[in-house]
Amino acid sequence: IHAAQASQSKAVKNIASAASYLPLSGAGKAAARQQEAFNRAVGRTFGADAGTLTDDVMVQAKRAISSEYESVFNRKAVQLDQQALNQLAQLESSLLRRLPKDQAAVVKANIDDLLANSDNGVIPGRVYQALRGELSADGVMAKPMRELRGILDNAAFRSVGAKDAATLKAANAKWANLRTAEKSLQQVEGAKGNIRPASLFPLVRKGSTNELRQLAKAGQNVLKDPIPDSGTAGRMLAYGTIGGLGAGGMASGNENLRTLGAALALGATGGRLLNSPMAGRMMAQGTAPAWQGLAKALKPLPYLLPATVNASEQD
């Protein structure tokens, strides 16, 4: 993480935001490095270890999870025992109270399909996999379908034994994490294979691992940019054409350009410090006095930049 993310200081956060517009600040490289690390951390929750979650990476992860299911269900069948049958009956009897008639009929049809594909309550493993994969819905049907899937999962856990049940539970958690990641990848940044950190928290699914939930919280509370960006500062820098004036401005005979060059040099230095992993670790570990001094020294930067840009425009 960066110093501005580890610190609670508004001054540090504002300085880092202002410095990110300056050339040589290291903000772009630091952001890219952090995005790659976040992608990799999310990917590891479903068995992928890649800095960019491309379509190929996601397909390979799905295949790996499917192979975990197959390792169990190629050998084992699922027994709809008396507990499962009682739960299915209770769910079916509650449908008309909970759903409109046509939607209740859809859920009931899925229950009937499960029973029709069983032989004295035994469902072959491959058949069970295919039937379970169809148990999803949106809107008001989502909860009853989740309950139906849960009844089947618990019946499967009881049927296959403790060791295989642990394999299935781990695969279910990876699958839930993968589906959450897929939802995030449908957003704009997903075209680049990136999980936008702030997008993850509202997408976390029931059944996702605690590891993914903690990453989602970090994406929302720590990694999300706390400073709203209207683009004004970026446009001011572009209009002022000051991208390459840092060193040249300081050596200029023009007083305003010297001021502008000093501002650029200060911003680049401060930006690189604030975007360095070392600074982030110092802030996170509580060794912040030196950085509080830096924040105080650089505090005028957000106000100095517009003034120096205006000066260069007047010249």
Side-chain angles (χ1 to χ4, degrees):
I1 62 174
H2 309 154
Q5 295 165 337
S7 172
Q8 297 301 312
S9 167
K10 291 183 179 180
V12 171
K13 294 181 185 296
N14 278 283
I15 291 165
S17 181
S20 68
Y21 287 104
L22 297 175
L24 308 178
S25 70
K29 184 177 180 180
R33 185 171 59 241
Q34 186 173 87
Q35 180 65 69
E36 180 179 337
F38 193 76
N39 291 339
R40 195 176 295 277
V42 172
R44 282 197 295 261
T45 68
F46 53 85
D49 190 0
T52 305
L53 300 179
T54 62
D55 291 344
D56 287 343
V57 169
M58 299 300 286
V59 168
Q60 290 173 12
K62 284 183 180 180
R63 288 174 180 167
I65 297 172
S66 295
S67 70
E68 294 180 27
Y69 287 116
E70 290 168 3
S71 71
V72 175
F73 290 122
N74 284 346
R75 299 179 288 104
K76 300 287 183 71
V78 175
Q79 172 72 51
L80 294 179
D81 56 14
Q82 193 59 50
Q83 179 179 342
L85 292 173
N86 290 341
Q87 291 173 334
L88 288 173
Q90 292 171 4
L91 176 60
E92 182 176 345
S93 66
S94 71
L95 292 176
L96 287 178
R97 297 196 307 271
R98 301 167 60 184
L99 299 173
K101 186 175 181 181
D102 56 340
Q103 293 173 328
V106 173
V107 180
K108 183 179 183 302
N110 279 276
I111 296 174
D112 293 341
D113 198 26
L114 290 171
L115 297 174
N117 279 280
S118 68
D119 182 8
N120 290 324
V122 178
I123 304 176
R126 287 182 175 275
V127 175
Y128 164 82
Q129 278 187 277
L131 293 173
R132 186 190 184 282
E134 298 174 358
L135 299 180
S136 62
D138 297 319
V140 293
M141 283 200 304
K143 186 175 180 180
M145 292 293 265
R146 279 199 305 271
E147 292 175 12
L148 177 54
R149 195 165 58 244
I151 292 170
L152 284 181
D153 285 344
N154 289 331
F157 298 153
R158 293 192 297 271
S159 300
V160 300
K163 183 177 180 180
D164 286 331
T167 298
L168 292 179
K169 289 178 181 179
N172 287 348
K174 289 180 184 178
W175 185 256
N177 291 345
L178 183 142
R179 293 301 300 273
T180 299
E182 283 184 325
K183 287 286 187 182
S184 178
L185 288 169
Q186 291 173 6
Q187 301 184 16
V188 174
E189 277 295 303
K192 304 174 187 176
N194 290 332
I195 300 287
R196 189 169 62 86
S199 74
L200 203 57
F201 185 71
L203 300 176
V204 172
R205 297 161 57 88
K206 184 177 180 180
S208 296
T209 61
N210 184 61
E211 183 182 6
L212 185 67
R213 288 192 289 271
Q214 293 301 321
L215 286 169
K217 290 179 181 179
Q220 179 68 23
N221 298 327
V222 180
L223 304 183
K224 182 179 179 180
D225 189 351
I227 309 298
D229 183 8
S230 66
T232 301
R235 287 194 299 272
M236 288 178 67
L237 289 175
Y239 295 158
T241 62
I242 63 173
L245 293 180
M250 293 179 71
S252 171
N254 182 295
E255 181 180 353
N256 286 326
L257 288 181
R258 284 201 304 274
T259 304
L260 177 59
L264 280 169
L266 180 65
T269 301
R272 284 190 173 276
L273 288 169
L274 290 169
N275 288 316
S276 71
M278 179 189 69
R281 286 194 296 271
M282 289 179 68
M283 286 291 190
Q285 293 168 4
T287 54
W291 292 101
Q292 292 171 355
L294 175 63
K296 184 176 180 180
L298 298 184
K299 193 170 183 179
L301 180 60
Y303 309 100
L304 180 60
L305 288 176
T308 53
V309 171
N310 289 336
S312 67
E313 287 177 336
Q314 290 170 10
D315 285 340

